[in-house]
Amino acid sequence: MLKHQRVADLMAKEQALYARTHGRSRALFEQGASHWLYGAPSHWMRRWIGGWPLYVADAPRTYGVRFADVDGNEFVDFCLGDTGGMCGHGHPAVVEALARQARVGSSLMLPTDDAAWVGTELQRRFGLPYWSLTTSASDANRACIRLARMITGRPRVLVFSGAYHGSIEEAHIELDDEGQVRMRNGIHPNAFPHDRLSRVVEFNDLPALEVALRAGDVACVLAEPAMTNYGIIKPQPGFHDELRRLTRETGTLLIIDETHTISSGPGGYTQAHGLKPDMFVLGKAVAGGIPAAVFGVTQATAGRIWEVLPKLPPTARQSAHAGFGGTLAGNALTVAVMRAVLSEVLTDDAFERMDALAQRLERGVADSINRHGLPWQAVRVGARVETLFCVDEPRDARDVRKGRDHALEAALHLYLMNRGVLITPFHNMMLCCPGTTSADVDRHNEVFEAFAAELRQ
Ligand code: PMP
């Protein structure tokens, strides 16, 4: 057993170090308290350990994953904006596309010729024929849910316990250890009628999934192919085949949300593992960190949508719409950057390199864990690696909860941060990108080794 006192002592030392080395960030944050609802422009920026977020400096830098804060500390970034920055910071092709299109016009409510290239590439890469753009993955998920309800006439959305799909009310629930439904992980209730509009089952629990779907009132299953928002949870062998069979048999649409699992390869987990979703969602990284997402649908799903919202002859003007907004969706700036990202940044070669780097990261973490006899493990989904504080690979959210140790997690995050390594603030997740180098990975692994040595059994 790890000594709680040892973790608490380490945390106190690290907290003092953070305070000594982040004074300017602290002052900026205190100033922010007078005008930002959460002290910083977004509530997510409050998730970092240390008491206040570090403020990024406007310092010259080259493409990659390193940057400095306003106190002059330097960082290697494995958080990458929780995947929004998966192209790396300041990729020349992204910078060039942004500047070029901004000069013409960012948001014109008109397509540009980049649209043809991007549409064709989405078809080729992800294997679905019809696509649409939104401004965020949350928006894309909401659009898919709305379409699924429209074409099935059913009210409910089924999600897996521990999932996160953005600002999706239906998905803000999970199961507790007794199997009772509750709000997910600290989200406040807001009178949304989950009892009528949601269902939730544990990931990998096929019997529970079958019962939930056979009720016949579920419009769609919204799922990450491997869960990445609670601690990485991989699907058990055969899970996806059964999920697809059961959704088909019960007339339920299957939405696969690849916003994070795009780390699996250029075509996401879907292409890497031959999944056959009815709808496919990808956000965050797809436009190099410029707010954007895409969703694609199969030919059959498109046909059902057009039965409800007729497909128009080319010269007709559309009079009604599907009920989702997004004035900025598909704007010229995002389409220009998507073209740059898909053609020059998140390429097949880049994914090969990212995968190799993530394997190096995973090996480093596993070696330190073994060397110091710690009851932890490293889990990987392509370019994404997570350190879990449990010995057995989790099958579902309950297993992840059993291995949770908030004090230890906080100590790890702060220890890494104080030595210039950033990981996702929500749990122990790291992402490699085309700008990550083996020196960046080695930096993480050195610091992780020192942390593991501090806590050796
Ligand atoms: N889907 C998944 C799988 C996600 O992880 C997230 C965000 N973490 C979202 C959707 C929502 O993305 P956004 O906040 O950019 O809308």
Side-chain angles (χ1 to χ4, degrees):
M1 278 291 284
L2 290 170
K3 300 278 175 299
H4 292 306
Q5 194 53 49
R6 221 181 317 161
V7 174
D9 291 349
L10 182 61
M11 189 65 191
K13 251 185 7 205
E14 293 302 317
Q15 187 62 66
L17 177 58
Y18 187 78
R20 274 203 309 283
T21 50
H22 293 86
R24 294 194 68 193
S25 281
R26 180 182 208 159
L28 286 166
F29 181 64
E30 283 169 0
Q31 200 182 325
S34 64
H35 44 252
W36 297 116
L37 187 56
Y38 297 100
S42 147
H43 67 96
W44 297 120
M45 295 170 184
R46 296 296 305 276
R47 294 298 180 103
W48 296 92
I49 200 70
W52 56 93
L54 51 90
Y55 282 63
V56 179
D58 181 14
R61 47 178 304 289
T62 51
Y63 171 62
V65 299
R66 295 192 179 219
F67 62 83
D69 71 7
V70 290
D71 289 289
N73 305 296
E74 293 193 355
F75 296 92
V76 182
D77 188 4
F78 291 96
C79 166
L80 296 169
D82 194 29
T83 307
M86 187 179 170
C87 292
H89 305 310
H91 192 289
V94 170
V95 173
E96 197 280 324
L98 275 170
R100 178 173 45 79
Q101 189 59 47
R103 278 194 291 271
V104 179
S106 303
S107 204
L108 308 152
M109 208 172 276
L110 286 169
T112 56
D113 69 358
D114 288 329
W117 189 92
V118 169
T120 308
E121 172 62 9
L122 290 171
Q123 277 182 339
R124 183 198 70 79
R125 197 181 265 241
F126 300 111
L128 292 122
Y130 292 104
W131 291 86
S132 196
L133 264 70
T134 64
T135 42
S136 68
S138 299
D139 271 352
N141 282 327
R142 272 195 297 272
C144 289
I145 290 171
R146 191 163 209 288
L147 290 168
R149 284 182 168 137
M150 260 168 50
I151 64 185
T152 61
R154 297 176 178 181
R156 291 193 199 247
V157 176
L158 185 142
V159 292
F160 293 104
S161 187
Y164 183 71
H165 296 283
S167 321
I168 305 296
E169 297 287 356
E170 289 84 346
H172 284 169
I173 49 172
E174 65 182 12
L175 297 174
D176 67 15
D177 290 338
E178 277 70 52
Q180 297 302 308
V181 177
R182 67 178 181 195
M183 292 303 288
R184 180 191 191 274
N185 214 13
I187 295 180
H188 279 271
N190 72 341
F192 185 84
H194 290 108
D195 55 334
R196 285 188 285 117
L197 298 181
S198 300
R199 286 190 192 280
V200 55
V201 299
E202 293 289 353
F203 198 55
N204 285 315
D205 186 348
L206 289 167
L209 177 68
E210 174 151 19
V211 171
L213 294 184
R214 296 243 180 258
D217 57 1
V218 178
C220 57
V221 171
L222 172 60
E224 283 192 278
M227 294 183 68
T228 65
N229 278 298
Y230 210 68
I232 288 177
I233 310 170
K234 291 188 187 168
Q236 296 289 301
F239 173 75
H240 277 292
D241 290 344
E242 279 300 286
L243 171 62
R244 187 61 280 196
R245 184 182 68 78
L246 288 169
T247 44
R248 283 212 176 107
E249 270 184 31
T250 56
T252 312
L253 291 169
L254 177 59
I255 307 170
I256 291 290
D257 178 355
E258 292 258 21
T259 298
H260 279 180
T261 49
I262 185 67
S263 63
S264 307
Y269 195 100
T270 293
Q271 287 303 304
H273 296 267
L275 307 191
K276 297 273 175 242
D278 300 302
M279 295 175 166
F280 174 102
V281 167
L282 174 61
K284 295 193 186 185
V286 69
I290 306 305
V294 295
F295 70 89
V297 301
T298 59
Q299 182 73 47
T301 309
R304 293 179 71 185
I305 294 168
W306 291 328
E307 275 169 29
V308 185
L309 278 177
K311 185 170 187 173
L312 301 172
T315 52
R317 193 172 152 220
Q318 187 171 327
S319 59
H321 64 80
F324 34 90
T327 309
L328 298 176
N331 72 59
L333 195 68
T334 56
V335 178
V337 182
M338 275 177 68
R339 181 174 187 165
V341 167
L342 295 171
S343 61
E344 295 183 58
V345 189
L346 294 179
T347 58
D348 292 4
D349 286 353
F351 272 97
E352 242 175 64
R353 278 183 281 117
M354 285 149 64
D355 206 78
L357 286 168
Q359 287 183 39
R360 186 183 181 105
L361 189 61
E362 182 188 27
R363 263 197 316 276
V365 172
D367 286 351
S368 295
I369 290 172
N370 292 337
R371 192 170 303 119
H372 300 294
L374 293 159
W376 307 346
Q377 62 172 301
V379 191
R380 186 173 64 84
V381 175
R384 190 180 292 286
V385 178
E386 170 126 32
T387 308
L388 290 172
F389 299 135
C390 54
V391 180
D392 298 321
E393 242 191 52
R395 286 172 55 101
D396 57 32
R398 282 172 305 198
D399 288 348
V400 173
R401 275 200 297 278
K402 274 185 230 143
R404 266 214 183 123
D405 182 333
H406 291 293
L408 181 58
E409 186 169 307
L412 171 63
H413 283 235
L414 197 52
Y415 193 92
L416 289 170
M417 212 150 97
N418 276 335
R419 287 153 190 82
V421 178
L422 298 179
I423 66 174
T424 304
F426 314 117
H427 41 106
N428 308 327
M429 196 162 74
M430 296 155 278
L431 181 63
C432 294
C433 81
T436 309
T437 64
S438 45
D440 297 330
V441 169
D442 293 348
R443 178 67 193 147
H444 169 274
N445 289 352
E446 275 160 34
V447 179
F448 186 83
E449 165 62 22
F451 180 77
E454 294 254 9
L455 297 172
R456 70 162 52 88
Q457 294 292 66

